Amino acid sequence: MFETIGNILAPLTAILIHAAIPLTIILVYALVAIWGERKIAGFIQDRLGPMRVGGFHGWAQSIADLLKLIQKEDIVPTDASRFLFKFAPFMMFAASYAAFAVIPFSPEYIGSNINVGVFYLLAITSILTLSVIMAGWASNNKWSLLGGMRSAAQMVSYEVPTIATVLTVIVVAGSLNLMTVTEMQNGNDILGFLPNWFIFQNPFLIVAFIIFFISILAESHRVPFDLPESESELVGGYQTEYSGIRWAMFMLAEYADMLLLSLLGATLFFGGWNSPFGEFMAGPFWGFFWFMLKGLLLVFVMMWIRWTLPRYRVDQLMHICWSILIPLSFVNLILVALWEMIF
Amino acid sequence: MIEEQILETGKDTREMVINMGPQHPSTHGVLRLELTLDGEMVKQCRPNIGYLHRCFEKYAESVEDYAKVIPYTDRMDYVSAMNQEHGYVIALEKLLEVEVPERVEYMRVIVAELQRIASHLLGIGTFGLDLGAFTPFLYCFTEREKILSIFEKATGARLLYNYMAVGGLMREIPEDFKSDTADFVKTFRPKIKELNDLLSYNKIFIDRTAHIGVLPKDVALNYAASGPVLRGSGVEWDLRKDDPYSIYNRFDFEIPVGKGEVGTLGDCWDRYIVRVREMEQSLRIIEQALDGMPDEGDVKEGIPKRIRPKEGEIYMRTETPRGELGYYIISDKGASPYRVKARAPSFVHLSMLPAISKGALIADMVAIVGSIDIVLGEVDR
Amino acid sequence: MVNPIKEGWLTFKSIFTGMGITMRHLFQPSVTLQYPDEREELPPGARAQLYVNIDDCIGCNLCARACPVNCIDIETVKATDDVDLGKTSTGNPKRFWLTRFNIDMAKCMYCDLCVHPCPTDCIYMVPEYEYSEFDRSNFVFHFSNLSPEMVADVKEKAEDEAERKKKEKEEMMRKKAEEKKKKELEEKKKAAEEKVKKENETNDKGPENENSENDDKE
């Protein structure tokens, strides 16, 4: 009997630990990232950002905001579809969170080492689109519906360049397993001193990275593609009717999405958990450090762009995607394949 | 089919009427735009105003003194207060036939041009903010703070000054005014270049504003547009050069005109870039005025004890940052005017909005309203 | 073919220029003043609150008349002759008790029109801007420093004085009227006496004339 309990408990514990680690990373990251965004916005705009809550540069500001949001009244609009309205934010967060299972955080740790890692990740992030439509429609609000529809169109369209660019890397790597992809970027062989990252292995992958970066800006609703939730035009888009912890869930899902796609970019193009110095500063914990550093650098670039550029109009957004990025990414795919064949 | 549906349900579902209501983050004040939309395209736009009406003209008739009206002229267009006062004061001086000392004239011009820069900074900043560029707004406001600090030292107030009086100024000019203004001029020129790099020639901004809200030359002239709106459509008309008042005929400056550089002539980008270039020309005027200003002279001596104009009327127009502001004053020998009418440029430009917004999307409506640069205080008075 | 490439290049160039500017600003010091720990010094003439130096006020009401929104409320009582209120610091003699000098700062529009007409410069604007209140009636600033008993006392004295003066005036008028009557009576008397005298004189003059004529004939 103890054997059967043991047989059930052991995998269960393993699952729980594997579930808790990315969750902790996401939550800590979200608190830090929201504070960081406000501080970066402040410093770019010649001002200070949060300063008072918690003492040193207001580091406890996100915690205070979270506490405030938790104690708010739970408002569900009168004629809204109650179940869908309540379910949408949690589904969005669940989709972002579930995709963290295949990200290789360190040489010794990956949530679930499946052979179709990238495929699984891209499939799960499509659920985000569903939840956005759900939120927009279930709010019983003209503006929310408009925002939800626009947002869904944007996300669906920009998935194509994302997939195409990811495909280019897979063509070079030869495997869908993210751990294998990272392991292939080990070593410092290019030009004698440059690390073996894919972005240095193939010049067309630089173009692929640029397209990939633009696409993930659009996937996570960041400026210059944030029209669905732009405050100055549509008041709030699909998030208008949400308040309190439900809205906090949307924010959390958006930041988790940002981190997810940045980490994906870091894995595919910048060597994942490989250190840029070869053997120096390498190892399981160093690997985690380098990986998070690369991911956070990409997140920083996303924030930097948000506070610099104005936003695009919806039809211009779609035009960029369908007329420019998609043809370019497919052409790039062929060129990368040719390069691989020749060299 | 559609007719049957309308007959049955009583509703016409082809077009949606949406209120870009009095409380909206993008309309510059309390303005209500009733938009009739077909999908996302605007078929018709009807502005509803009057939310900020404060009976300026009625008050001017009932007050006991012409000088008491000056603080109220400030409050019409609260963003460019000095230019409003300038117009009223010059109108009264013409009616009373009062001589104004040289030092006062120079000071008025410097202050009016500084106010023009401050007003354009606000207009440009909020225009960028509406389109999603959050940072240029704050850079513009940092510069505006410097101008407001200069004004605070000179007049005592930051936004609504009551500085000009008939025939003079209300307060003596402080000693460090000239050096402060010269410092400001020196530090401001590179900031315009920075603004151009960050916002004006940014491709995304150009994509949002070029070919949008095109105002053809004849439509602009028919609607009596003035100021940067008219100059953005290619008409070279500036009251400081074509109908000079005060001492503007002594200064050498150019009038920037929209040329359709990136897009059609008369679109939102043209109006925007006219404002940016006007700031540079204002800097030139300020430099020349600082050089030419006499250092001695009492600014209060020319103020008459009692303002009692003879019977008559006058229409005086001046160039404010928004356009042509006209004051029509009728006096009947009493202590208070018989009638003061203020012709506000923003009111005229707002009436043009339905004509230039045909076929625009909602996001474009925001850009068009921002590029006309209205201030609701002036529209409603 | 060329145009999209050119447009793409321009896009990236403008975006990177913009990003360079914001990156530069990221490392520049910020311009924020952290209120309330750091406050900005307002220049001395800044218009933030009205202040009246009540010892210098002569009660001329020029400021109340100049105010466009009628926020200054002044009540003055004429001082009796036995009280010497002294002079203001600018040399003007004070002749009025200021029993009420209220300024409603909630109505005030900070236009400075009351400051300029004051002949003794006793009303002026000070750069004090932190005077928020919870109750709107606290915005009425009372500048008069007379206690209510003093005010009642002064008013009573002034009324008494006014009555006294009125009575004096009436007395004087009466006296004048009396004297006038007296004078008229006297004059009438005099006029009557004169008439009688004149009649007597003409009677005397007749016989005297005949005697003179007889002397000449011999």
Side-chain angles (χ1 to χ4, degrees):
Chain A
M1 190 185 71
F2 286 118
E3 247 185 66
T4 31
I5 297 181
N7 274 344
I8 298 173
L9 269 185
L12 199 62
T13 327
I15 291 173
L16 283 175
I17 294 180
H18 277 311
I21 296 184
L23 187 64
T24 324
I25 295 179
I26 293 180
L27 288 177
V28 170
Y29 154 79
L31 285 177
V32 170
I34 295 181
W35 173 83
E37 171 138 42
R38 289 175 68 166
K39 285 308 264 191
I40 292 174
F43 287 135
I44 287 182
Q45 293 165 354
D46 281 343
R47 56 187 181 88
L48 286 169
M51 288 293 285
R52 299 185 79 86
V53 184
F56 176 72
H57 280 282
W59 61 269
Q61 182 71 47
S62 343
I63 304 177
D65 281 339
L66 185 65
L67 288 174
K68 176 202 82 163
L69 286 169
I70 287 179
Q71 50 92 31
K72 277 202 182 230
E73 183 188 345
D74 182 16
I75 302 178
V76 177
T78 325
D79 277 334
S81 330
R82 295 189 74 89
F83 176 66
L84 290 178
F85 186 81
K86 292 183 189 177
F87 188 50
F90 297 105
M91 182 159 113
M92 196 159 168
F93 177 65
S96 307
Y97 171 48
F100 271 87
V102 292
I103 303 268
F105 281 103
S106 138
E108 305 286 320
Y109 176 71
I110 181 171
S112 135
N113 198 358
I114 53 180
N115 266 338
V116 287
V118 168
F119 184 54
Y120 162 82
L121 195 148
L122 291 171
I124 289 279
T125 47
S126 315
I127 299 184
L128 291 169
T129 322
L130 272 179
S131 57
V132 163
I133 301 184
M134 223 197 273
W137 184 81
S139 300
N140 190 29
N141 183 345
K142 256 187 241 181
W143 293 100
S144 300
L145 184 61
L146 261 177
M149 289 296 162
R150 278 191 194 168
S151 178
Q154 175 184 328
M155 287 173 94
V156 164
S157 321
Y158 274 91
E159 280 188 19
V160 184
T162 317
I163 296 178
T165 43
V166 166
L167 212 53
T168 53
V169 176
I170 303 302
V171 157
V172 172
S175 162
L176 281 175
N177 188 342
L178 279 172
M179 198 57 139
T180 320
V181 165
T182 322
E183 279 164 2
M184 285 180 70
Q185 298 179 59
N186 221 337
N188 271 36
D189 301 325
I190 303 180
L191 293 182
F193 67 99
L194 281 179
N196 236 355
W197 299 344
F198 280 140
I199 202 167
F200 298 127
Q201 284 188 14
N202 194 330
F204 292 110
L205 280 179
I206 300 183
V207 176
F209 174 65
I210 296 178
I211 301 177
F212 176 76
F213 192 68
I214 300 177
S215 312
I216 59 176
L217 275 180
E219 279 280 316
S220 45
H221 298 302
R222 300 287 294 180
V223 173
F225 305 112
D226 74 336
L227 201 65
E229 56 181 52
S230 64
E231 289 134 17
S232 48
E233 285 165 37
L234 283 183
V235 186
Y238 61 90
Q239 296 172 1
T240 320
E241 296 286 342
Y242 285 88
S243 62
I245 200 66
R246 303 184 198 284
W247 182 79
M249 217 33 127
F250 269 124
M251 278 290 114
L252 187 62
E254 179 184 315
Y255 277 88
D257 201 22
M258 249 167 60
L259 183 68
L260 172 74
L261 294 169
S262 308
L263 288 178
L264 182 68
T267 315
L268 293 174
F269 293 98
F270 287 107
W273 42 257
N274 288 307
S275 141
F277 304 119
E279 284 307 312
F280 181 63
M281 280 171 143
F285 291 107
W286 276 119
F288 178 70
F289 163 73
W290 285 116
F291 188 51
M292 290 308 287
L293 184 69
K294 290 168 193 172
L296 288 176
L297 266 176
L298 278 179
V299 169
F300 169 71
V301 173
M302 282 194 194
M303 290 181 183
W304 181 15
I305 290 186
R306 176 183 187 183
W307 299 109
T308 313
L309 300 176
R311 66 172 67 95
Y312 269 115
R313 222 174 51 212
V314 164
D315 58 325
Q316 290 167 342
L317 239 160
M318 300 307 247
H319 167 78
I320 289 177
C321 176
W322 291 97
S323 318
I324 300 178
L325 288 183
I326 290 183
L328 201 57
S329 58
F330 281 119
V331 165
N332 200 35
L333 179 61
I334 297 176
L335 288 172
V336 162
L338 277 175
W339 181 278
E340 280 300 301
M341 266 173 52
I342 296 174
F343 295 99
Chain B
M1 278 273 289
I2 302 283
E3 286 79 13
E4 283 170 3
Q5 183 192 22
I6 297 179
L7 278 178
E8 262 183 46
T9 61
K11 288 190 200 164
D12 183 359
T13 53
R14 281 171 296 180
E15 294 175 344
M16 184 160 76
V17 177
I18 265 191
N19 242 345
M20 228 163 134
Q23 298 152 324
H24 192 99
S26 296
T27 56
H28 295 248
V30 273
L31 169 69
R32 181 168 145 231
L33 291 175
E34 270 179 45
L35 303 171
T36 315
L37 302 175
D38 175 20
E40 202 164 308
M41 210 153 57
V42 170
K43 278 261 139 75
Q44 198 194 22
C45 158
R46 287 177 54 203
N48 284 19
I49 56 176
Y51 290 91
L52 200 51
H53 180 63
R54 293 158 293 170
C55 315
F56 161 70
E57 297 173 358
K58 175 71 183 165
Y59 170 78
E61 288 172 28
S62 51
V63 77
E64 291 299 316
D65 189 5
Y66 279 82
K68 282 196 202 175
V69 178
I70 298 182
Y72 282 76
T73 59
D74 273 345
R75 284 152 166 81
M76 278 198 314
D77 176 4
Y78 34 82
V79 167
S80 55
M82 287 289 192
N83 303 82
Q84 320 272 101
E85 288 177 20
H86 203 187
Y88 182 73
V89 154
I90 295 184
L92 277 183
E93 282 161 9
K94 286 215 162 116
L95 205 53
L96 287 166
E97 284 156 30
V98 159
E99 271 287 318
V100 181
E102 280 288 301
R103 192 151 189 250
V104 169
E105 291 272 32
Y106 273 95
M107 184 64 179
R108 280 185 189 169
V109 164
I110 295 175
V111 156
E113 293 304 313
L114 274 175
Q115 184 73 71
R116 191 181 305 268
I117 296 177
S119 168
H120 281 322
L121 281 171
L122 191 136
I124 291 171
T126 50
F127 188 42
L129 189 69
D130 289 341
L131 296 180
F134 303 106
T135 341
F137 174 68
L138 282 141
Y139 294 165
C140 291
F141 264 66
T142 317
E143 298 307 309
R144 204 177 122 91
E145 274 300 308
K146 299 183 187 158
I147 300 182
L148 295 186
S149 300
I150 298 179
F151 280 161
E152 194 173 24
K153 280 199 211 151
T155 72
R158 279 162 54 96
L159 203 70
L160 302 164
Y161 314 105
N162 189 22
Y163 186 51
M164 303 193 188
V166 178
L169 301 168
M170 295 282 267
R171 284 198 187 197
E172 287 294 336
I173 304 176
E175 285 157 11
D176 49 0
F177 179 79
K178 259 190 166 176
S179 57
D180 279 342
T181 318
D183 284 338
F184 170 74
V185 168
K186 229 186 323 187
T187 57
F188 188 59
R189 274 225 162 83
K191 296 282 161 71
I192 300 187
K193 177 163 186 322
E194 189 186 66
L195 180 71
N196 271 339
D197 280 336
L198 182 61
L199 192 61
S200 317
Y201 293 104
N202 189 327
K203 194 72 180 45
I204 302 181
F205 183 74
I206 293 178
D207 278 339
R208 279 301 290 276
T209 50
H211 306 293
I212 308 278
V214 176
L215 181 66
K217 199 155 142 176
D218 48 344
V219 174
L221 288 172
N222 278 340
Y223 270 100
S226 50
V229 174
L230 183 62
R231 292 198 276 280
S233 297
V235 180
E236 204 169 313
W237 173 260
D238 186 333
L239 286 174
R240 295 172 290 171
K241 281 232 153 117
D242 295 300
D243 191 5
Y245 53 95
S246 182
I247 51 170
Y248 276 104
N249 44 10
R250 297 188 204 174
F251 301 120
D252 171 39
F253 60 100
E254 287 164 14
I255 306 176
V257 161
K259 297 191 198 76
E261 281 167 37
V262 289
T264 355
L265 179 67
D267 55 17
C268 294
W269 196 86
D270 273 338
R271 295 193 275 273
Y272 163 84
I273 204 70
V274 158
R275 288 198 181 99
V276 173
R277 291 181 183 153
E278 262 187 22
M279 289 202 296
E280 273 192 58
Q281 300 301 321
S282 288
L283 282 179
R284 277 174 72 179
I285 299 179
I286 294 177
E287 281 174 340
Q288 293 169 42
L290 281 173
D291 280 333
M293 182 156 122
D295 280 322
E296 275 124 34
D298 189 9
V299 296
K300 291 204 213 179
E301 62 182 354
I303 302 181
K305 282 276 184 292
R306 268 203 330 196
I307 306 180
R308 285 280 177 117
K310 308 193 291 273
E311 215 165 309
E313 59 189 29
I314 182 171
Y315 178 73
M316 178 66 211
R317 52 186 187 168
T318 52
E319 178 86 13
T320 59
R322 281 172 179 78
E324 169 188 321
L325 174 71
Y327 283 101
Y328 180 54
I329 307 181
I330 307 180
S331 99
D332 61 348
K333 283 203 283 199
S336 59
Y338 178 70
R339 175 90 169 94
V340 171
K341 159 137 181 84
R343 179 249 191 231
S346 301
F347 182 74
V348 173
H349 296 160
L350 195 60
S351 71
M352 252 172 11
L353 195 65
I356 60 175
S357 63
K358 287 216 160 26
L361 308 178
I362 301 185
D364 293 333
M365 275 310 296
V366 170
I368 297 175
V369 169
S371 76
I372 302 182
D373 199 10
I374 52 175
V375 169
L376 263 296
E378 215 180 29
V379 170
D380 293 333
R381 285 182 292 276
Chain C
M1 187 58 203
V2 180
N3 212 6
I5 296 185
K6 190 162 150 243
E7 295 244 325
W9 167 242
L10 272 178
T11 315
F12 278 111
K13 181 158 164 279
S14 61
I15 291 180
F16 284 133
T17 330
M19 283 170 71
I21 293 180
T22 39
M23 190 47 128
R24 209 180 57 225
H25 272 268
L26 186 61
F27 296 112
Q28 275 173 5
S30 82
V31 296
T32 321
L33 277 179
Q34 294 192 77
Y35 189 82
D37 302 320
E38 309 165 13
R39 274 167 233 243
E40 179 163 331
E41 267 301 313
L42 291 186
R47 315 210 289 246
Q49 189 184 47
L50 267 177
Y51 180 71
V52 176
N53 188 357
I54 202 68
D55 297 321
D56 273 352
C57 179
I58 60 172
C60 62
N61 248 327
L62 280 176
C63 54
R65 275 189 288 174
C67 177
V69 288
N70 300 325
C71 70
I72 305 184
D73 186 17
I74 303 182
E75 189 194 30
T76 52
V77 170
K78 187 143 173 41
T80 50
D81 289 329
D82 56 328
V83 173
D84 179 21
L85 289 169
K87 289 192 184 228
T88 68
S89 57
T90 49
N92 305 61
K94 294 201 279 194
R95 285 192 231 282
F96 288 95
W97 291 107
L98 290 151
T99 49
R100 192 171 71 224
F101 198 124
N102 293 347
I103 301 188
D104 189 358
M105 286 313 285
K107 278 197 203 163
C108 172
M109 66 148 139
Y110 306 92
C111 63
D112 226 25
L113 279 176
C114 55
V115 172
H116 298 282
C118 182
T120 58
D121 291 330
C122 72
I123 183 171
Y124 47 89
M125 284 259 177
V126 293
E128 165 64 46
Y129 54 91
E130 295 163 329
Y131 52 98
S132 313
E133 301 280 347
F134 282 103
D135 189 354
R136 206 187 288 185
S137 55
N138 288 340
F139 271 121
V140 179
F141 289 3
H142 306 278
F143 285 105
S144 159
N145 51 7
L146 302 176
S147 60
E149 298 86 23
M150 187 90 186
V151 165
D153 183 42
V154 158
K155 277 192 183 164
E156 215 185 291
K157 272 202 195 151
E159 271 182 20
D160 289 342
E161 170 105 1
E163 274 215 33
R164 189 172 57 83
K165 282 215 163 112
K166 202 163 97 174
K167 279 201 186 127
E168 268 185 26
K169 210 174 180 183
E170 280 180 14
E171 272 278 334
M172 213 170 357
M173 298 289 281
R174 204 167 38 89
K175 272 198 189 143
K176 261 198 187 151
E178 267 187 33
E179 277 187 17
K180 212 175 174 187
K181 250 199 209 164
K182 251 197 215 165
K183 246 192 189 166
E184 278 181 15
L185 271 175
E186 274 188 26
E187 294 216 345
K188 262 196 198 161
K189 251 200 213 162
K190 252 195 193 165
E193 277 180 13
E194 293 252 325
K195 225 186 181 181
V196 165
K197 238 194 204 169
K198 250 191 183 162
E199 282 180 13
N200 285 347
E201 271 186 18
T202 22
N203 285 343
D204 284 336
K205 266 200 177 162
E208 282 181 4
N209 279 338
E210 282 179 352
N211 283 342
S212 58
E213 270 187 339
N214 284 341
D215 280 342
D216 280 336
K217 263 183 188 169
E218 260 189 284

